[in-house]
Amino acid sequence: FGTLYAHRDADYIAVSYLGEATTLTTGTYSFYLIEEELILTKTFSEKLFAIITPIAHAAAGNYTRITFEVTEPEPEPVIDELILQYAPVLYFHPREEYFPMDVEHFVEASALWSKDGADTQLYSSSSLTFEEFENIIDSGVDTSDMYLAFSDPNNAKSMEVGAAHAVYAKTNSAPVTYYRRMVDSGFTVLQYWYFYAMNNWGEVSDDIFTNNHEGDWESIFVFLDDEDPKYVAYSAHHNDGKNEVLNPLQYSSVRREWGGDEVVKDGDQVISLVAQGSHANYPNNNGGEHNTGLGVDRTSIDGDHLMIDTFSDIDGEDVVWDEYQGKWGADQVDILNSDSGPFGPKYSAVSGHNRFENPVQWAGIDKIVRTTLDTETLEVLFPEQEISVVFDIVIPEGTTIELSPHNEVVTFGLLPNDSEVLPHFWDIQTTLPENIFSAQLTLPYDLDEVEDRGYTESNIVGAYYDPTLNTWTYFPATFDSTTQTATFNITHFSRYALALVALEGGEETGTSTEPVLVQKKKTRSYGTRIVRQKTLVPEVLGSATSSIPIGELSKLVNAFEELALMYSDMDATQRETVQKIWVSIDALLRTLRK
């Protein structure tokens, strides 16, 4: 700059002339405040002289010297270009009360407790600073038995849902996206993590199994194959991409195809519908409701839309808090340890899979199979999936077929009345042109799953999902009781499953009779899906759980989830015992869902 003008204030006019254009480098500089009264009482020529040469007043002492220092600004953090390119946009419910925040503000509003033996408050909320928190972690002390208490910081194992609102408001934290870029099994994985002060799902919901807890870590992952987006995975409650035996709370798989109709995007930015209170992420609004099996998640397109532009690298060289192994929220008082704060990204394995270190496994991408034919053939087998395709024409060498399994309750698409799709479906893609072939598709089923739903094998039909009409269409199927597989005819590849239908008069489909769909249940519509009305659930679940209120069953499940984390270290007898317990819980949940 050339002439430097400072604004007129109460008692002074600040002026200084530096001559030709000058850039101030690092160093110490001075300018002068000329007393206003002296200048304003001067003649025009004297005023002009005072403005041009303020230093001339030095001898008379009619100035105040101001000294300031110019320092080099802190360099702006360099954000990975791919992280910026694919950063999600979050759509919140209009009545959402908690938004992604900075962990530093949460820590400094909390007390730090240790539950090693008797609960001991290590730092009060007024004495705990983020610097001291990181010093504790950096010292190498074991933090696995520690927890941060946010809403009721001065009482052990205590949470005050109502008080949390005021504590959160005082933090005044801007929204933050925590990110990580890493490589897993050949995929470049872009991890986006969001931290919330509270999960107040129970507070905003009337459902009996919904819960409250302090601290809430949620995430959205984008998987790139040769820098091309291939899959997106959305964290939601206890879901993963596998639905293995130790995860009975699975109601949806987290993975979606990048180019699929279910994924809503704005250019390269995925849009996530964030559920009110629980902050579960969904790829679309689904009419505003998502049935989790234990309660309804509510989303909306009418609330705040956040494209968070503050990014923090979890793997940054100066980051220490990510090594904290304790709970980000109060440890609760009940012996089942439900409604407690979660572990941080590096140490969380809600579904039994650590998505921070093993995102491909968590998303179930490792279960996707792709085969490229090395010779022409009529039959393609996927033995690991127990699936086969028998064509009516010879398929040429070099044809690629990809099979992507999803183990989840089907909550999308309109279903014919008095029917349901089994909780497994497959996306099948091929390089073959559509509608040039017919084929017999064979899919597996679990007879126990069929019978648990009150059906027999005679009720099994093939099912195809039409994304254009958002409907499921059924086809007659033959079943093989020995292999527990069902076969039906297709003319192209898409999304397929097996469904169960009620038969008129109880007749069986056999191998050639087309099932007749009959309406026996009232339904109510929510947007684009049909939700079947359920009867009220009693206070307790039958004689087997006569001493366990429904509210306690959720706590029981949470407790065994923590037990499941030690599954890999158990011997064969312990594993068998744990599996039997999970099977019992799963049966109770199935009864409740009915």
Side-chain angles (χ1 to χ4, degrees), residues 307-554:
M307 171 56 230
I308 303 174
D309 57 7
T310 299
F311 294 86
S312 181
D313 185 357
I314 294 180
D315 278 345
E317 292 182 2
D318 299 329
V319 177
V320 176
W321 63 262
D322 62 322
E323 294 296 341
Y324 171 61
Q325 299 182 43
K327 294 182 177 180
W328 291 83
D331 185 65
Q332 287 298 277
V333 69
D334 61 272
I335 60 173
L336 294 176
N337 201 34
S338 68
D339 299 339
S340 290
F343 295 104
K346 281 190 175 181
Y347 301 99
S348 175
V350 174
S351 66
H353 303 286
N354 184 304
R355 61 184 182 270
F356 187 85
E357 295 295 348
N358 304 298
V360 166
Q361 185 185 46
W362 169 69
I365 295 173
D366 58 329
K367 294 296 185 182
I368 297 173
V369 291
R370 181 188 295 117
T371 183
T372 299
L373 303 182
D374 55 9
T375 183
E376 60 181 26
T377 185
L378 285 170
E379 184 178 34
V380 179
L381 303 177
F382 299 92
E384 290 185 3
Q385 305 278 352
E386 300 179 84
I387 291 174
S388 66
V389 186
V390 179
F391 294 90
D392 65 341
I393 61 172
V394 175
I395 304 303
E397 176 186 350
T399 298
T400 296
I401 300 177
E402 180 180 280
L403 199 65
S404 180
H406 294 262
N407 295 308
E408 61 183 275
V409 176
V410 173
T411 58
F412 57 89
L414 299 175
L415 306 178
N417 289 322
D418 215 38
S419 69
E420 62 179 295
V421 178
L422 285 169
H424 314 277
F425 60 85
W426 292 264
D427 289 319
I428 309 177
Q429 300 177 8
T430 180
T431 54
L432 283 174
E434 289 191 4
N435 300 317
I436 68 164
F437 65 87
S438 293
Q440 289 188 323
L441 175 63
T442 299
L443 299 177
Y445 62 86
D446 183 334
L447 183 57
D448 290 337
E449 262 185 352
V450 173
E451 293 178 344
D452 283 348
R453 287 162 169 76
Y455 293 89
T456 68
E457 292 169 305
S458 300
N459 300 101
I460 297 175
V461 295
Y464 154 66
Y465 174 67
D466 186 336
T468 304
L469 301 177
N470 190 38
T471 58
W472 285 91
T473 301
Y474 295 159
F475 305 98
T478 59
F479 61 88
D480 185 327
S481 297
T482 303
T483 60
Q484 293 190 27
T485 57
T487 302
F488 56 98
N489 293 326
I490 63 173
T491 58
H492 68 288
F493 287 132
S494 180
R495 174 166 291 179
Y496 289 98
L498 295 177
L500 302 170
V501 300
L503 306 177
E504 188 173 21
E507 64 176 290
E508 295 188 353
T509 60
T511 59
S512 60
T513 305
E514 185 172 350
V516 179
L517 304 184
V518 295
Q519 181 173 349
K520 293 183 179 179
K521 303 176 184 178
K522 295 181 179 179
T523 60
R524 51 194 174 96
S525 177
Y526 284 97
T528 58
R529 56 180 274 256
I530 294 295
V531 179
R532 289 172 182 75
Q533 292 183 342
K534 298 181 180 180
T535 57
L536 294 176
V537 180
E539 178 68 17
V540 295
L541 296 177
S543 58
T545 59
S546 59
S547 61
I548 306 178
I550 283 180
E552 294 298 312
L553 182 55
S554 177

Side-chain angles (χ1 to χ4, degrees), residues 91 170 179 181 192-193 201 234 262 278 281 350 539 583:
Y91 279 31
K170 289 180 181 178
Y179 72 90
R181 174 177 173 173
Y192 301 89
W193 290 85
W201 191 26
Y234 307 78
E262 296 164 274
S278 76
N281 291 288
V350 174
E539 178 68 17
V583 169

Side-chain angles (χ1 to χ4, degrees), residues 5 13 15-17 39 46-54 57:
Y5 297 93
I13 296 175
V15 290
S16 180
Y17 183 68
I39 292 181
E46 289 173 326
K47 291 177 182 178
L48 182 61
F49 179 74
I51 292 173
I52 295 176
T53 60
H57 292 267

